[in-house]
Amino acid sequence: MPTTAKSRPEELTDTLDLLAAEEPSAALPPELPATLRHIVLTGFMGAGKSTVGRLVADRLGWVFLDLDDHLEARAGLSVPEIFARHGEAHFRRLESSALASALGRPRTVLALGGGTPEVLTNRLLLEQTPGTAVIFLDAPFPTLFDRCVLQEISRPVLADPAAAELRFAARHPLYRRLARHTIGTADATPEETALALIAALAQNRAS
Ligand code: S3P
């Protein structure tokens, strides 16, 4: 017979109450769709893809992978070095190959680069890889730009802010179309965004 609240021994009820009071979602990990293998975060630079991705991976006990880090490790060069020495087109080729490699790993939370969805083959790969849920972390351009200025990350694509804003406008519909869920991050902490993301995926259990 299943244990009910009435028939539970007192110590067990106390333990469950304690766990729930401490951290409800840690005590009861959300049920994600059984077929889910990759949670992929997309959005412009400064969206919080890596910060939120790490939090989500920690909560789920999955592996976190940042596509830029994966690409840099494979190339033996930093992103700015690749742009400076070989140009953006070469960077995009390395990025596509790193994406294919990253999607071979199960139970991974993957933070894309801001420009990854610009490339059609990358979008097709993300759409056609089974068990892949893409989540778009959205915020207005000025918010994203201000966040990037505060970070000590060298981003070649931000060197010309006006050109970056044009890229943002061109990419925005691509991010939206690719994503199963869009989460606004302008007024949310990374922790709040991570919880919203997990809740959104958990609602889709059957998918
Ligand atoms: C880029 C975004 C960067 C990195 C590269 C190009 C882009 O990643 O891939 O500098 O084109 O938007 P983040 O979005 O993680 O900063």
Side-chain angles (χ1 to χ4, degrees), residues 1 6 8 12 17 20 22 40-41 52 60 62 67 88-89 115 117 120 124 128 134-135 150 163 173 175 191 207:
M1 201 174 85
K6 275 183 195 154
R8 259 184 219 139
L12 177 58
D17 286 350
E22 235 174 50
V40 179
L41 304 191
V52 171
L60 300 180
W62 284 24
L67 189 61
E88 181 169 349
L120 176 64
L124 293 174
Q128 291 170 10
V134 179
I135 314 287
L150 292 175
Y175 295 141
E191 288 76 12
S207 64

PDB file of all heavy atoms in Angstrom, residues 1 6 8 12 17 20 22 40-41 52 60 62 67 88-89 115 117 120 124 128 134-135 150 163 173 175 191 207:
ATOM      1  N   MET A   1       0.840  -1.200   0.000  1.00  0.00           N
ATOM      2  CA  MET A   1       0.000   0.000   0.000  1.00  0.00           C
ATOM      3  C   MET A   1       0.880   1.257   0.000  1.00  0.00           C
ATOM      4  O   MET A   1       1.853   1.315   0.750  1.00  0.00           O
ATOM      5  CB  MET A   1      -0.868  -0.039   1.271  1.00  0.00           C
ATOM      6  CG  MET A   1      -2.102   0.830   1.135  1.00  0.00           C
ATOM      7  SD  MET A   1      -3.192   0.621   2.568  1.00  0.00           S
ATOM      8  CE  MET A   1      -2.478   1.769   3.710  1.00  0.00           C
ATOM      9  N   LYS A   6      -1.352  10.307   6.126  1.00  0.00           N
ATOM     10  CA  LYS A   6      -1.905   9.848   7.402  1.00  0.00           C
ATOM     11  C   LYS A   6      -1.126   8.688   7.980  1.00  0.00           C
ATOM     12  O   LYS A   6      -0.906   8.606   9.171  1.00  0.00           O
ATOM     13  CB  LYS A   6      -3.366   9.433   7.197  1.00  0.00           C
ATOM     14  CG  LYS A   6      -4.306  10.603   7.297  1.00  0.00           C
ATOM     15  CD  LYS A   6      -5.729  10.148   7.165  1.00  0.00           C
ATOM     16  CE  LYS A   6      -6.620  11.347   6.903  1.00  0.00           C
ATOM     17  NZ  LYS A   6      -7.825  10.988   6.196  1.00  0.00           N
ATOM     18  N   ARG A   8       2.036   7.800   7.286  1.00  0.00           N
ATOM     19  CA  ARG A   8       3.494   7.938   7.362  1.00  0.00           C
ATOM     20  C   ARG A   8       3.986   7.925   8.808  1.00  0.00           C
ATOM     21  O   ARG A   8       3.382   8.565   9.658  1.00  0.00           O
ATOM     22  CB  ARG A   8       3.886   9.309   6.809  1.00  0.00           C
ATOM     23  CG  ARG A   8       4.393   9.299   5.435  1.00  0.00           C
ATOM     24  CD  ARG A   8       4.823  10.701   5.110  1.00  0.00           C
ATOM     25  NE  ARG A   8       4.468  11.019   3.771  1.00  0.00           N
ATOM     26  CZ  ARG A   8       3.969  12.178   3.368  1.00  0.00           C
ATOM     27  NH1 ARG A   8       3.758  13.144   4.222  1.00  0.00           N
ATOM     28  NH2 ARG A   8       3.688  12.375   2.128  1.00  0.00           N
ATOM     29  N   LEU A  12       9.397  10.281   9.221  1.00  0.00           N
ATOM     30  CA  LEU A  12       9.415  10.492   7.778  1.00  0.00           C
ATOM     31  C   LEU A  12       8.697  11.802   7.430  1.00  0.00           C
ATOM     32  O   LEU A  12       9.174  12.607   6.631  1.00  0.00           O
ATOM     33  CB  LEU A  12       8.755   9.308   7.057  1.00  0.00           C
ATOM     34  CG  LEU A  12       8.651   9.440   5.533  1.00  0.00           C
ATOM     35  CD1 LEU A  12      10.029   9.634   4.906  1.00  0.00           C
ATOM     36  CD2 LEU A  12       7.988   8.215   4.927  1.00  0.00           C
ATOM     37  N   ASP A  17       8.926  17.386   5.637  1.00  0.00           N
ATOM     38  CA  ASP A  17       8.605  18.795   5.911  1.00  0.00           C
ATOM     39  C   ASP A  17       9.871  19.639   5.888  1.00  0.00           C
ATOM     40  O   ASP A  17       9.918  20.727   5.334  1.00  0.00           O
ATOM     41  CB  ASP A  17       7.933  18.948   7.278  1.00  0.00           C
ATOM     42  CG  ASP A  17       6.488  18.456   7.229  1.00  0.00           C
ATOM     43  OD1 ASP A  17       6.002  18.203   6.110  1.00  0.00           O
ATOM     44  OD2 ASP A  17       5.882  18.313   8.299  1.00  0.00           O
ATOM     45  N   ALA A  20      11.147  20.127   2.327  1.00  0.00           N
ATOM     46  CA  ALA A  20      10.285  21.043   1.576  1.00  0.00           C
ATOM     47  C   ALA A  20      10.510  22.470   2.036  1.00  0.00           C
ATOM     48  O   ALA A  20      10.549  23.392   1.219  1.00  0.00           O
ATOM     49  CB  ALA A  20       8.831  20.649   1.749  1.00  0.00           C
ATOM     50  N   GLU A  22      13.236  23.701   3.328  1.00  0.00           N
ATOM     51  CA  GLU A  22      14.573  24.157   2.962  1.00  0.00           C
ATOM     52  C   GLU A  22      14.639  24.636   1.507  1.00  0.00           C
ATOM     53  O   GLU A  22      15.036  25.729   1.219  1.00  0.00           O
ATOM     54  CB  GLU A  22      15.525  22.970   3.076  1.00  0.00           C
ATOM     55  CG  GLU A  22      16.699  23.241   3.971  1.00  0.00           C
ATOM     56  CD  GLU A  22      17.502  21.971   4.130  1.00  0.00           C
ATOM     57  OE1 GLU A  22      17.820  21.355   3.105  1.00  0.00           O
ATOM     58  OE2 GLU A  22      17.771  21.603   5.278  1.00  0.00           O
ATOM     59  N   VAL A  40      19.301  23.410 -24.601  1.00  0.00           N
ATOM     60  CA  VAL A  40      20.205  24.315 -25.318  1.00  0.00           C
ATOM     61  C   VAL A  40      19.742  25.754 -25.108  1.00  0.00           C
ATOM     62  O   VAL A  40      18.579  26.078 -25.358  1.00  0.00           O
ATOM     63  CB  VAL A  40      20.196  23.981 -26.830  1.00  0.00           C
ATOM     64  CG1 VAL A  40      21.108  24.925 -27.586  1.00  0.00           C
ATOM     65  CG2 VAL A  40      20.628  22.534 -27.053  1.00  0.00           C
ATOM     66  N   LEU A  41      20.650  26.602 -24.627  1.00  0.00           N
ATOM     67  CA  LEU A  41      20.290  27.992 -24.363  1.00  0.00           C
ATOM     68  C   LEU A  41      20.777  28.876 -25.499  1.00  0.00           C
ATOM     69  O   LEU A  41      21.949  28.850 -25.873  1.00  0.00           O
ATOM     70  CB  LEU A  41      20.911  28.463 -23.047  1.00  0.00           C
ATOM     71  CG  LEU A  41      20.555  27.627 -21.821  1.00  0.00           C
ATOM     72  CD1 LEU A  41      20.995  28.325 -20.560  1.00  0.00           C
ATOM     73  CD2 LEU A  41      19.070  27.366 -21.762  1.00  0.00           C
ATOM     74  N   VAL A  52      23.114  30.973 -16.502  1.00  0.00           N
ATOM     75  CA  VAL A  52      21.870  30.240 -16.259  1.00  0.00           C
ATOM     76  C   VAL A  52      22.075  28.752 -16.572  1.00  0.00           C
ATOM     77  O   VAL A  52      21.603  27.878 -15.841  1.00  0.00           O
ATOM     78  CB  VAL A  52      20.722  30.838 -17.106  1.00  0.00           C
ATOM     79  CG1 VAL A  52      19.479  29.972 -17.050  1.00  0.00           C
ATOM     80  CG2 VAL A  52      20.418  32.265 -16.648  1.00  0.00           C
ATOM     81  N   LEU A  60      19.877  19.898 -12.129  1.00  0.00           N
ATOM     82  CA  LEU A  60      19.434  18.624 -12.716  1.00  0.00           C
ATOM     83  C   LEU A  60      20.471  17.518 -12.559  1.00  0.00           C
ATOM     84  O   LEU A  60      20.184  16.361 -12.839  1.00  0.00           O
ATOM     85  CB  LEU A  60      19.137  18.818 -14.212  1.00  0.00           C
ATOM     86  CG  LEU A  60      18.059  19.843 -14.568  1.00  0.00           C
ATOM     87  CD1 LEU A  60      17.879  19.910 -16.078  1.00  0.00           C
ATOM     88  CD2 LEU A  60      16.735  19.488 -13.896  1.00  0.00           C
ATOM     89  N   TRP A  62      23.068  17.442 -14.472  1.00  0.00           N
ATOM     90  CA  TRP A  62      23.531  17.217 -15.839  1.00  0.00           C
ATOM     91  C   TRP A  62      24.885  17.903 -16.031  1.00  0.00           C
ATOM     92  O   TRP A  62      25.346  18.662 -15.175  1.00  0.00           O
ATOM     93  CB  TRP A  62      22.525  17.808 -16.847  1.00  0.00           C
ATOM     94  CG  TRP A  62      21.269  17.001 -17.037  1.00  0.00           C
ATOM     95  CD1 TRP A  62      20.710  16.122 -16.153  1.00  0.00           C
ATOM     96  CD2 TRP A  62      20.410  17.035 -18.194  1.00  0.00           C
ATOM     97  NE1 TRP A  62      19.552  15.603 -16.689  1.00  0.00           N
ATOM     98  CE2 TRP A  62      19.341  16.137 -17.933  1.00  0.00           C
ATOM     99  CE3 TRP A  62      20.438  17.720 -19.402  1.00  0.00           C
ATOM    100  CZ2 TRP A  62      18.315  15.923 -18.854  1.00  0.00           C
ATOM    101  CZ3 TRP A  62      19.416  17.503 -20.306  1.00  0.00           C
ATOM    102  CH2 TRP A  62      18.367  16.610 -20.037  1.00  0.00           C
ATOM    103  N   LEU A  67      29.537  26.414 -25.545  1.00  0.00           N
ATOM    104  CA  LEU A  67      30.002  26.108 -26.906  1.00  0.00           C
ATOM    105  C   LEU A  67      31.307  26.842 -27.239  1.00  0.00           C
ATOM    106  O   LEU A  67      32.194  26.281 -27.886  1.00  0.00           O
ATOM    107  CB  LEU A  67      28.912  26.445 -27.935  1.00  0.00           C
ATOM    108  CG  LEU A  67      29.196  25.964 -29.355  1.00  0.00           C
ATOM    109  CD1 LEU A  67      29.330  24.443 -29.415  1.00  0.00           C
ATOM    110  CD2 LEU A  67      28.105  26.424 -30.322  1.00  0.00           C
ATOM    111  N   GLU A  88      35.821  35.875 -39.281  1.00  0.00           N
ATOM    112  CA  GLU A  88      34.569  35.344 -38.730  1.00  0.00           C
ATOM    113  C   GLU A  88      34.091  34.088 -39.460  1.00  0.00           C
ATOM    114  O   GLU A  88      33.558  33.171 -38.832  1.00  0.00           O
ATOM    115  CB  GLU A  88      33.472  36.425 -38.755  1.00  0.00           C
ATOM    116  CG  GLU A  88      32.173  35.901 -38.166  1.00  0.00           C
ATOM    117  CD  GLU A  88      31.121  36.960 -37.897  1.00  0.00           C
ATOM    118  OE1 GLU A  88      31.437  38.170 -37.974  1.00  0.00           O
ATOM    119  OE2 GLU A  88      29.969  36.565 -37.609  1.00  0.00           O
ATOM    120  N   ALA A  89      34.277  34.043 -40.791  1.00  0.00           N
ATOM    121  CA  ALA A  89      33.765  32.874 -41.535  1.00  0.00           C
ATOM    122  C   ALA A  89      34.418  31.588 -41.011  1.00  0.00           C
ATOM    123  O   ALA A  89      33.750  30.558 -40.851  1.00  0.00           O
ATOM    124  CB  ALA A  89      34.031  33.050 -43.027  1.00  0.00           C
ATOM    125  N   GLY A 115      25.813  33.994 -31.919  1.00  0.00           N
ATOM    126  CA  GLY A 115      25.624  33.953 -33.370  1.00  0.00           C
ATOM    127  C   GLY A 115      25.359  32.565 -33.923  1.00  0.00           C
ATOM    128  O   GLY A 115      25.128  32.412 -35.127  1.00  0.00           O
ATOM    129  N   PRO A 117      22.793  30.533 -34.022  1.00  0.00           N
ATOM    130  CA  PRO A 117      21.587  30.279 -34.830  1.00  0.00           C
ATOM    131  C   PRO A 117      21.549  31.039 -36.155  1.00  0.00           C
ATOM    132  O   PRO A 117      20.646  30.831 -36.945  1.00  0.00           O
ATOM    133  CB  PRO A 117      20.442  30.759 -33.915  1.00  0.00           C
ATOM    134  CG  PRO A 117      21.030  30.803 -32.554  1.00  0.00           C
ATOM    135  CD  PRO A 117      22.460  31.177 -32.761  1.00  0.00           C
ATOM    136  N   LEU A 120      22.338  28.459 -41.013  1.00  0.00           N
ATOM    137  CA  LEU A 120      21.212  27.554 -41.301  1.00  0.00           C
ATOM    138  C   LEU A 120      21.506  26.117 -40.881  1.00  0.00           C
ATOM    139  O   LEU A 120      20.667  25.455 -40.268  1.00  0.00           O
ATOM    140  CB  LEU A 120      20.870  27.615 -42.795  1.00  0.00           C
ATOM    141  CG  LEU A 120      19.774  26.650 -43.257  1.00  0.00           C
ATOM    142  CD1 LEU A 120      18.438  26.960 -42.606  1.00  0.00           C
ATOM    143  CD2 LEU A 120      19.639  26.692 -44.782  1.00  0.00           C
ATOM    144  N   LEU A 124      19.263  23.733 -38.424  1.00  0.00           N
ATOM    145  CA  LEU A 124      18.743  22.416 -38.824  1.00  0.00           C
ATOM    146  C   LEU A 124      19.216  21.332 -37.857  1.00  0.00           C
ATOM    147  O   LEU A 124      18.450  20.459 -37.446  1.00  0.00           O
ATOM    148  CB  LEU A 124      19.175  22.075 -40.256  1.00  0.00           C
ATOM    149  CG  LEU A 124      18.560  22.952 -41.350  1.00  0.00           C
ATOM    150  CD1 LEU A 124      19.158  22.623 -42.713  1.00  0.00           C
ATOM    151  CD2 LEU A 124      17.041  22.787 -41.391  1.00  0.00           C
ATOM    152  N   GLN A 128      16.769  19.075 -35.670  1.00  0.00           N
ATOM    153  CA  GLN A 128      16.637  17.661 -36.043  1.00  0.00           C
ATOM    154  C   GLN A 128      17.317  16.693 -35.078  1.00  0.00           C
ATOM    155  O   GLN A 128      17.200  15.483 -35.245  1.00  0.00           O
ATOM    156  CB  GLN A 128      17.163  17.462 -37.465  1.00  0.00           C
ATOM    157  CG  GLN A 128      16.237  18.122 -38.481  1.00  0.00           C
ATOM    158  CD  GLN A 128      16.811  18.170 -39.878  1.00  0.00           C
ATOM    159  OE1 GLN A 128      17.838  17.546 -40.162  1.00  0.00           O
ATOM    160  NE2 GLN A 128      16.164  18.926 -40.752  1.00  0.00           N
ATOM    161  N   VAL A 134      15.372  23.799 -27.213  1.00  0.00           N
ATOM    162  CA  VAL A 134      16.089  25.083 -27.264  1.00  0.00           C
ATOM    163  C   VAL A 134      15.272  26.110 -26.479  1.00  0.00           C
ATOM    164  O   VAL A 134      14.058  26.213 -26.650  1.00  0.00           O
ATOM    165  CB  VAL A 134      16.271  25.556 -28.724  1.00  0.00           C
ATOM    166  CG1 VAL A 134      16.994  26.903 -28.765  1.00  0.00           C
ATOM    167  CG2 VAL A 134      17.043  24.522 -29.536  1.00  0.00           C
ATOM    168  N   ILE A 135      15.956  26.854 -25.627  1.00  0.00           N
ATOM    169  CA  ILE A 135      15.309  27.890 -24.818  1.00  0.00           C
ATOM    170  C   ILE A 135      15.956  29.230 -25.156  1.00  0.00           C
ATOM    171  O   ILE A 135      17.184  29.346 -25.141  1.00  0.00           O
ATOM    172  CB  ILE A 135      15.530  27.633 -23.303  1.00  0.00           C
ATOM    173  CG1 ILE A 135      15.282  26.182 -22.928  1.00  0.00           C
ATOM    174  CG2 ILE A 135      14.707  28.602 -22.461  1.00  0.00           C
ATOM    175  CD1 ILE A 135      13.870  25.735 -22.919  1.00  0.00           C
ATOM    176  N   LEU A 150      29.799  45.391 -18.625  1.00  0.00           N
ATOM    177  CA  LEU A 150      30.225  45.100 -17.249  1.00  0.00           C
ATOM    178  C   LEU A 150      31.065  43.822 -17.156  1.00  0.00           C
ATOM    179  O   LEU A 150      31.781  43.619 -16.185  1.00  0.00           O
ATOM    180  CB  LEU A 150      28.999  44.956 -16.336  1.00  0.00           C
ATOM    181  CG  LEU A 150      28.205  46.245 -16.099  1.00  0.00           C
ATOM    182  CD1 LEU A 150      26.956  45.957 -15.283  1.00  0.00           C
ATOM    183  CD2 LEU A 150      29.061  47.297 -15.400  1.00  0.00           C
ATOM    184  N   ALA A 163      26.602  48.172 -35.339  1.00  0.00           N
ATOM    185  CA  ALA A 163      26.517  46.932 -36.132  1.00  0.00           C
ATOM    186  C   ALA A 163      25.979  45.791 -35.259  1.00  0.00           C
ATOM    187  O   ALA A 163      25.217  44.943 -35.730  1.00  0.00           O
ATOM    188  CB  ALA A 163      27.889  46.576 -36.689  1.00  0.00           C
ATOM    189  N   PRO A 173      14.266  37.228 -34.526  1.00  0.00           N
ATOM    190  CA  PRO A 173      13.247  36.273 -35.003  1.00  0.00           C
ATOM    191  C   PRO A 173      13.786  34.840 -35.134  1.00  0.00           C
ATOM    192  O   PRO A 173      13.027  33.879 -34.971  1.00  0.00           O
ATOM    193  CB  PRO A 173      12.832  36.827 -36.376  1.00  0.00           C
ATOM    194  CG  PRO A 173      13.790  37.907 -36.715  1.00  0.00           C
ATOM    195  CD  PRO A 173      14.502  38.312 -35.479  1.00  0.00           C
ATOM    196  N   TYR A 175      16.072  33.441 -33.115  1.00  0.00           N
ATOM    197  CA  TYR A 175      16.070  32.877 -31.754  1.00  0.00           C
ATOM    198  C   TYR A 175      14.658  32.404 -31.398  1.00  0.00           C
ATOM    199  O   TYR A 175      14.457  31.314 -30.879  1.00  0.00           O
ATOM    200  CB  TYR A 175      16.474  33.944 -30.723  1.00  0.00           C
ATOM    201  CG  TYR A 175      17.875  34.501 -30.803  1.00  0.00           C
ATOM    202  CD1 TYR A 175      18.104  35.862 -30.579  1.00  0.00           C
ATOM    203  CD2 TYR A 175      18.980  33.688 -31.032  1.00  0.00           C
ATOM    204  CE1 TYR A 175      19.373  36.396 -30.594  1.00  0.00           C
ATOM    205  CE2 TYR A 175      20.270  34.224 -31.054  1.00  0.00           C
ATOM    206  CZ  TYR A 175      20.456  35.580 -30.835  1.00  0.00           C
ATOM    207  OH  TYR A 175      21.724  36.117 -30.845  1.00  0.00           O
ATOM    208  N   GLU A 191      19.140  32.910 -11.043  1.00  0.00           N
ATOM    209  CA  GLU A 191      18.471  31.815 -10.311  1.00  0.00           C
ATOM    210  C   GLU A 191      16.996  31.749 -10.696  1.00  0.00           C
ATOM    211  O   GLU A 191      16.448  30.658 -10.916  1.00  0.00           O
ATOM    212  CB  GLU A 191      18.588  32.015  -8.791  1.00  0.00           C
ATOM    213  CG  GLU A 191      19.976  31.779  -8.221  1.00  0.00           C
ATOM    214  CD  GLU A 191      20.947  32.929  -8.490  1.00  0.00           C
ATOM    215  OE1 GLU A 191      20.493  34.024  -8.918  1.00  0.00           O
ATOM    216  OE2 GLU A 191      22.154  32.720  -8.289  1.00  0.00           O
ATOM    217  N   SER A 207       6.156  15.794 -24.073  1.00  0.00           N
ATOM    218  CA  SER A 207       6.766  16.037 -25.389  1.00  0.00           C
ATOM    219  C   SER A 207       8.069  15.274 -25.558  1.00  0.00           C
ATOM    220  O   SER A 207       8.645  14.826 -24.609  1.00  0.00           O
ATOM    221  CB  SER A 207       7.014  17.518 -25.594  1.00  0.00           C
ATOM    222  OG  SER A 207       7.947  17.952 -24.656  1.00  0.00           O
TER     223      SER A 207
END
